[in-house]
Each structure stands twice: as C-alpha cells, then as structure tokens.
Amino acid sequence: MKRADVVEMFTRLRELNPRPTTELAYTSPFELLVAVVLSAQATDVGVNKATRKLYPVANTPAAILALGEDGLKAYISTIGLFNAKAKNVIALCRLLIEQHGGEVPREREALEALPGVGRKTANVVLNTAFGEPTIAVDTHIFRVSNRTGLAPGKDVRAVEAKLEKVVPPEFKLDAHHWLILHGRYVCKARKPDCPHCVIRDLCRYKDKTPA
C-alpha cells in the first residue's frame, strides 16, 4: 500500500472513531493485565462478564493471591482454558508482589517475564495502560494487515515489524485499536463487510464481497 493510501486509511479510521480504546473493562493497569491474560482464545464480552464479578472482590495482586487458584477459578470458569489461566494469574500476582512491589512494570522485558504474558499481551498493556505507541498483532490485525495490503507478513512478528515501519507516527498510538475494531466488526474473517467499509477503495483485497 502506498504511503499516501496508508495516511488516508488511518485518517478515515480516525474520523470514524477519534478516541478508540480496548473493549476490555478495566480501571487500573493490573486489571487490564489480568483481563488481557484471560482474553486469550476468549471474547472480550466473556472476559468482561467474569471480571465484572471478580474485580469488586479482588482487583489487586494481593487480593487475587488471597483467593488462591481454586477461589479464582470460581470467578473465571466460564472462560476458555480457565484452569491454565488461573494458574498463570496466581503465579503472575506472586511475581508482581515479590519483584515489582505489587505494581505492573512498564518495561516490555519485565512484562514478558510474567506467567501467561507474551509479546502481544505486553504490547496491549504498554499501549493501553501506559500510552506507548506499540502495536499488538492479534488475529484481527493480522488479517486486516494482510488483506488490505497495509502490512503483509507470514506471521505476527513479521506483520508487527512492518506495521512499525509503515504506520505514520501521528497514528501509531491508536493504530492497534483502529485495526482490531475494523477486523472485529467490518473486515470479518468469514465474510468481510466490504460494502460498508470506509477504506474499501484503498484496500488491495481481491475477493471483496459485493453490495
């Protein structure tokens, strides 16, 4: 995609949604971190439903640690892979207390050292909680980047590296949210809603769905 088209693409997405943000419910970096860990292979709606009950009871590392693994499972049992996630969250809380004074670290390396936290999760926390211009590539962003021709790549790291190069600085802070929302609601996996897409004329996708 030409640079002028990239600028036009993000300009339109910004006009449509000037202040995009995650659909995960949170009030602190720690709540966001736990929500993102829980969201792996699960929907934001499902995670929000669970954390809506969990956070009023326990929303700090110490409070969740006090619940214990079985106590935490009772709140997140509706989420996929909840057994493994409960184990990771408890271990994550313990490390936050032991190594970071109960605070969520702002460094990528420290975040990725936490149980259940990979590069994507670290990028989401750095971007959404701390305002860093990182771009977390999930399945939606991977699809949109390849379909549109914005940042084609064979894997998420390749797409992330390309997005870092092609996304203009003025759009980088919110690019993650614009792309994920576009992929979730418009450029959907099975049948993209091309007739109602604001960037359809810029998109390189050959099999656009007809009106």
Side-chain angles (χ1 to χ4, degrees):
M1 191 180 283
K2 296 176 182 176
R3 180 169 177 78
D5 289 345
V6 174
V7 171
E8 180 61 23
M9 171 183 176
F10 282 107
T11 298
R12 292 181 192 179
L13 292 175
R14 181 172 61 188
E15 287 173 354
L16 200 65
N17 188 356
R19 294 181 180 84
T21 188
T22 180
E23 293 186 321
L24 289 169
Y26 74 99
T27 61
S28 69
F30 176 71
E31 286 188 1
L32 176 65
L33 174 61
V34 171
V36 179
V37 170
L38 295 177
S39 72
Q41 297 180 50
T43 65
D44 287 0
V45 171
V47 172
N48 288 341
K49 196 175 290 185
T51 58
R52 201 175 293 127
K53 295 176 181 177
L54 170 65
Y55 289 160
V57 176
N59 69 341
T60 65
I64 288 183
L65 203 54
L67 283 179
E69 205 170 310
D70 289 336
L72 178 58
K73 285 179 186 178
Y75 288 97
I76 67 170
S77 60
T78 54
I79 300 173
L81 307 174
F82 72 93
N83 285 313
K85 289 175 181 177
K87 187 176 182 179
N88 280 334
V89 170
I90 290 295
L92 175 155
C93 289
R94 188 173 290 114
L95 269 183
L96 286 178
I97 291 169
E98 291 175 355
Q99 298 181 10
H100 303 285
E103 298 294 323
V104 176
R106 298 184 65 143
E107 300 78 32
R108 176 190 299 283
E109 191 175 327
L111 283 168
E112 289 187 26
L114 297 171
V117 178
R119 185 176 181 86
K120 185 183 78 174
T121 298
N123 275 339
V124 172
V125 173
L126 288 170
N127 177 268
T128 307
F130 300 126
E132 299 288 339
T134 55
I135 301 175
V137 179
D138 69 348
T139 54
H140 297 299
I141 294 178
F142 183 79
R143 180 174 65 255
V144 171
S145 297
N146 276 285
R147 262 188 191 164
T148 60
L150 171 66
K154 292 183 178 180
D155 54 49
V156 293
R157 285 300 297 272
V159 169
E160 183 185 333
K162 199 158 287 187
L163 285 170
E164 288 291 341
K165 290 182 180 178
V166 303
V167 177
E170 67 174 300
F171 300 111
K172 200 163 276 185
L173 180 63
D174 293 319
H176 162 81
H177 298 300
W178 284 319
L179 293 174
I180 195 172
L181 292 171
H182 189 70
R184 185 172 289 165
Y185 296 112
V186 182
C187 196
K188 294 172 279 193
R190 292 186 180 179
K191 189 180 180 183
D193 190 10
C194 300
H196 296 101
C197 176
V198 296
I199 58 168
R200 59 189 175 275
D201 57 317
L202 305 172
C203 175
R204 304 289 179 83
Y205 187 48
K206 293 179 180 178
D207 301 315
K208 290 186 177 72
T209 52

